[in-house]
Amino acid sequence: MTEKRETLLGCCATIEQYNTVAEAGFDYIELPGRTLAAISEDVFHHWKQTVHGGALPCLGLNAALPAEIKICGPQFSETKIAEYARLLCRRAAALGVGKIGIGSPASRELPQDFPIETAWQQTAHFLKLFCAEALPWKIWILWEPLNPEETGFGVDSIEQAAHIANLQREGISNIGLVADLYHMARKEEDFRILEQISPFVRHVHIASPRADRGFVTEEDAAVLKPLVRTCALCLENISAEIFSGQIRVEGAASLKLLRRWLQEGQATGSYS
């Protein structure tokens, strides 16, 4: 994470929810990459009109990959990855996107007997291919540690940061991490872990760690407030990435809460 940047709060949503996200008070929208790559050129033109003619910028993409584009595993295909990355990065750049998060648990599913070392070699190659397509557009590619309820591969945040550090040492300049506070909370990784990986973090996702994965509320304060305050001290953008709840109601209330937590963290310079 970089210092002395304004913390913006965004929402992962569909293009159909664009106006609702704006009305709720968010600073930007984050759109689904796999949908962006799948639409026709005519529909893509409508997306561009919506974003460039509206009140909110689109700063990033989540849900980047369809299940058939494999990060690793027996169906790994360099050709498919490069073609998909080329299309997605071109369209992302046309929307003004600066960051593409790579989580996509279905794209990193592995057979039980698949060698982990081979999976990491394939993942590194996948990320290099994506970064190469993204670099001319000045787009960051951000690997996202998930949690073991969703995948058995690419989970531990410290381990993932070490892999990203290796790629950076190889000269990949537009590679980093998404720190997803929902996944961190589900894994019981606290703010100390977030501090350790923060040099590699370029974007943050958040949702309630409760089963519904909805918008953050005061009920989540014990777990999430220290993590959010850590983000406040490093001043990175945070996107709500939720699976339930109404943006106009719960989203607006969560936005106010997160802004208060951020302000408290900036004012006190502490995590708790």
Side-chain angles (χ1 to χ4, degrees):
M1 298 187 203
T2 55
E3 295 184 359
K4 296 185 179 179
R5 286 185 56 191
E6 179 186 2
T7 304
L8 301 179
L9 293 172
C11 187
C12 299
T14 65
I15 196 70
E16 292 79 13
Q17 295 170 311
Y18 181 91
N19 289 332
T20 303
V21 172
E23 291 165 4
F26 287 95
D27 298 312
Y28 63 90
I29 192 169
E30 193 167 330
L31 292 168
R34 61 179 177 234
T35 307
L36 175 60
I39 57 179
S40 68
E41 286 296 329
D42 287 343
V43 175
F44 176 51
H45 179 68
H46 168 69
W47 280 43
K48 289 189 290 184
Q49 287 183 316
T50 299
V51 172
H52 295 308
L56 295 180
C58 176
L59 298 186
L61 302 179
N62 74 323
L65 306 176
E68 60 267 22
I69 300 297
K70 297 300 183 184
I71 296 169
C72 54
Q75 296 175 299
F76 180 88
S77 168
E78 179 177 334
T79 301
K80 288 183 178 179
I81 293 165
E83 290 176 352
Y84 182 83
R86 191 171 303 121
L87 171 63
L88 184 62
C89 291
R90 174 178 64 81
R91 288 185 167 183
L95 294 178
V97 166
K99 302 170 185 177
I100 299 176
I102 307 292
S104 303
S107 294
R108 54 171 101 172
E109 290 179 353
L110 296 172
Q112 192 168 8
D113 59 347
F114 196 84
I116 293 299
E117 183 178 349
T118 301
W120 277 119
Q121 291 171 351
Q122 290 176 329
T123 300
H125 191 43
F126 170 94
L127 292 171
K128 289 176 183 178
L129 289 169
F130 239 97
C131 285
E133 296 294 341
L135 186 60
W137 303 109
K138 299 181 180 179
I139 294 173
W140 285 83
I141 301 301
L142 306 179
W143 178 244
E144 182 176 355
L146 302 179
N147 78 74
E149 297 169 358
E150 297 188 8
T151 179
F153 180 76
V155 170
D156 181 85
S157 293
I158 297 295
E159 184 181 69
Q160 309 319 298
H163 285 291
I164 296 305
N166 288 336
L167 290 174
Q168 290 181 350
R169 281 192 288 269
E170 291 181 29
I172 310 300
S173 61
N174 59 329
I175 187 72
L177 284 178
V178 175
D180 190 309
L181 306 190
Y182 165 82
H183 291 303
M184 294 189 74
R186 297 294 287 187
K187 293 178 289 188
E188 298 185 351
E189 292 180 341
D190 65 12
F191 70 87
R192 298 172 189 86
I193 299 295
L194 184 55
E195 280 190 284
Q196 290 181 59
I197 67 172
S198 65
F200 307 100
V201 173
R202 294 287 170 176
H203 193 58
V204 176
H205 282 160
I206 192 168
S208 170
R210 287 167 287 151
D212 63 351
R213 196 169 176 174
F215 285 104
V216 175
T217 73
E218 283 284 6
E219 293 181 37
D220 305 308
V223 174
L224 290 182
K225 186 188 283 190
L227 291 167
V228 171
R229 286 186 167 188
T230 303
C231 297
L233 298 178
C234 299
L235 301 174
E236 266 298 334
N237 297 353
I238 303 175
S239 298
E241 187 183 44
I242 54 91
F243 290 178
S244 65
Q246 296 183 357
I247 296 171
R248 198 184 307 273
V249 181
E250 291 99 329
S254 182
L255 182 61
K256 292 178 181 178
L257 177 65
L258 291 174
R259 282 182 173 148
R260 176 160 59 82
W261 288 355
L262 287 166
Q263 289 169 358
E264 291 171 358
Q266 291 164 350
T268 64
S270 66
Y271 305 118
S272 58

